[in-house]
């Protein structure tokens, strides 16, 4: 069963002070062109993780521009989310085994959700692999269908790719974050490429005073007199939180007093997160310089903002990363980042512009870069400032929505992708 997430529309004018003027003007024009367009976005979770962040902000802005947009979230049983997390991992390169059971669980849940699409839409955007098969089971709605992939599918396990491909057949357009991410079997076909962006109006990214930020992180146990390293991310093997702890311990040998905050949200569609969280927590229990905070211990948007603001250095030690909104979020606060040279992170920053990109498995170099930024505060400040400028031009939600609306305009004006009905029953 699909559930609608209710959001208050956000007016374009609210972005005039923060976003580049060219983006705001482009959105105003697209809004005039697409008034009343009926759009549904379908994904797997209303909170936790980048896709829900992006939808929260982009849907509110699309509504504010005058489109009639619904955000619909699928439901599924626990076995479904185990299957879809395994599929997610398989598409990012982990080994994946498809069995009759796995397929049945995936399809049963998708079919049940498809049966509850609440009304007619002009465009339906399905996000990520979890709900991808909805298109095949949907009634013969006269909509254009878009599949929006947010993960790194450049080197999938062949079994995971083979599992997903049939369910993508009925889509009019497939959208990826990077050209490199296009599934091997789809290369050479028609795809669209554009990356996500962060919302400067979210409480997570609003400018907060330094003193307020310090008071917030201090409440969680940070000593503001000592250096602080932060990673904000789900507890996910691809984001390597245990590797972050190793890097932290090496860096602390050179920078006495260093503290680490690992901030992570638990998402509805991520059962694996709990297992990794337990491992991280047991490491932290033996080390009073490591702080672990989650949405379960009160961490919310403003707290994430404060931690990203107060960090001397933010790290993102991802081995695979679809985009990694957290990188742009940190840079927006002018905090430099040391990150794995992975996927969408490489778009957001370059060496010396925002921070440093490092092979995530080279923990020695990773540690050296962290230490460099901890020791040289003036360098860190300059690099962080350049990072913010890059994010303002290229990675705000205004640019993302403009790209998405350009796509909608093309889809409806060219008659591309006239509905051919479901491919399964
Ligand atoms: N996030 C949060 N609280 C947390 C941890 C993460 O609000 O404790 C947010 C984070 O600020 C970011 C999103 O969750 O906006 C994670 O998105 P990202 O693209 O970095 O990674 P994903 O989880 O989608 O792989």
């Amino acid at each position: 069963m699909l559930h609608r997430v209710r959001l208050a529309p956000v007016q374009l004018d609210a972005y005039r002070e923060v976003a580049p003027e060219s983006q705001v003007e482009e959105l105003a024009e697209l809004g005039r062109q697409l008034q009343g367009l009926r759009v549904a976005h379908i994904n797997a979770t209303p909170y936790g993780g980048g896709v829900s962040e992006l939808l929260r902000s982009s849907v509110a802005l699309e509504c504010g521009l005058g489109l009639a947009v619904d955000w619909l979230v699928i439901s599924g049983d626990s076995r479904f989310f185990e299957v879809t997390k395994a599929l997610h991992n398989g598409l990012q390169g982990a080994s994946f085994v498809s069995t009759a059971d796995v397929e049945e669980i995936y399809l049963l849940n998708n079919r049940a959700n498809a049966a509850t699409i609440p009304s007619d839409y002009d465009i339906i955007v399905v996000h990520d692999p979890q709900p991808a098969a909805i298109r095949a089971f949907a009634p013969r709605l006269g909509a254009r269908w878009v599949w929006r992939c947010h993960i790194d599918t450049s080197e999938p396990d062949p079994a995971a790719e083979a599992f997903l491909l049939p369910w993508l057949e009925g889509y009019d357009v497939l959208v990826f974050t990077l050209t490199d991410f296009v599934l091997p079997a789809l290369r050479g076909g028609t795809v669209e490429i554009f990356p996500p962006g962060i919302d400067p109006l979210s409480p997570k990214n609003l400018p907060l005073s330094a003193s307020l930020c310090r008071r917030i992180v201090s409440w969680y146990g940070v000593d503001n007199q000592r250096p602080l390293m932060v990673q904000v991310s789900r507890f996910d093997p691809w984001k390597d939180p245990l590797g972050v702890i190793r890097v932290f311990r090496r860096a602390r040998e050179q920078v006495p007093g260093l503290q680490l905050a690992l901030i992570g949200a638990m998402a509805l569609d991520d059962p694996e997160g709990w297992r990794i969280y337990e491992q991280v927590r047991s490491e932290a229990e033996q080390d009073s310089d490591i702080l672990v905070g989650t949405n379960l211990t009160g961490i919310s948007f403003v707290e994430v903002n404060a931690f990203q603001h107060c960090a001397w250095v933010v790290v993102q030690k991802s081995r695979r990363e679809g985009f990694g909104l957290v990188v742009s979020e940190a840079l927006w606060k002018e905090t430099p980042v040391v990150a794995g040279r992975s996927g969408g992170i490489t778009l957001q920053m370059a060496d010396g512009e925002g921070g440093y990109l490092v092979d995530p498995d080279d923990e020695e170099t990773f540690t050296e870069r962290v230490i460099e930024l901890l020791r040289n505060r003036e360098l860190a400040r300059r690099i962080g400032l350049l990072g913010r400028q890059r994010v303002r031009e290229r990675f705000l939600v205004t640019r993302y929505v403009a790209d998405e609306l350009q796509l909608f305009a093309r889809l409806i004006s060219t008659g591309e992708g006239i509905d051919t009905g479901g491919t399964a029953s």
Side-chain angles (χ1 to χ4, degrees), residues 329-373:
E329 288 167 6
L331 297 178
W332 186 242
K333 287 129 203 159
E334 300 176 19
T335 302
V337 179
V338 178
R341 192 180 290 111
S342 313
I345 295 176
T346 59
L347 291 173
Q348 300 174 69
M349 53 185 278
D351 280 335
E353 192 182 345
Y356 295 116
L357 294 167
V358 183
D359 171 355
D361 291 323
D362 179 357
E363 294 187 352
E364 192 179 333
T365 309
F366 209 103
T367 310
E368 279 167 14
R369 289 308 205 179
V370 167
I371 293 172
E372 186 179 337
L373 291 170

Side-chain angles (χ1 to χ4, degrees), residues 71-138:
W71 173 9
L72 307 171
V73 175
I74 57 169
S75 51
D77 52 33
S78 58
R79 291 182 317 160
F80 174 68
F81 288 119
E82 292 281 354
V83 164
T84 57
K85 188 70 203 286
L87 178 60
H88 169 110
N89 287 341
L91 290 167
Q92 294 216 124
S95 111
F96 176 78
V97 181
S98 173
T99 62
D101 254 11
V102 162
E103 184 159 292
E104 191 186 333
I105 291 165
Y106 181 70
L107 296 183
L108 265 178
N109 281 271
N110 266 278
R111 189 195 300 260
N113 282 290
T116 65
I117 294 179
S119 60
D120 283 346
Y121 294 101
D122 301 305
I123 294 179
I124 298 179
V125 187
V126 177
H127 296 258
D128 276 343
Q130 302 94 327
I134 277 190
R135 198 270 168 269
F137 296 118

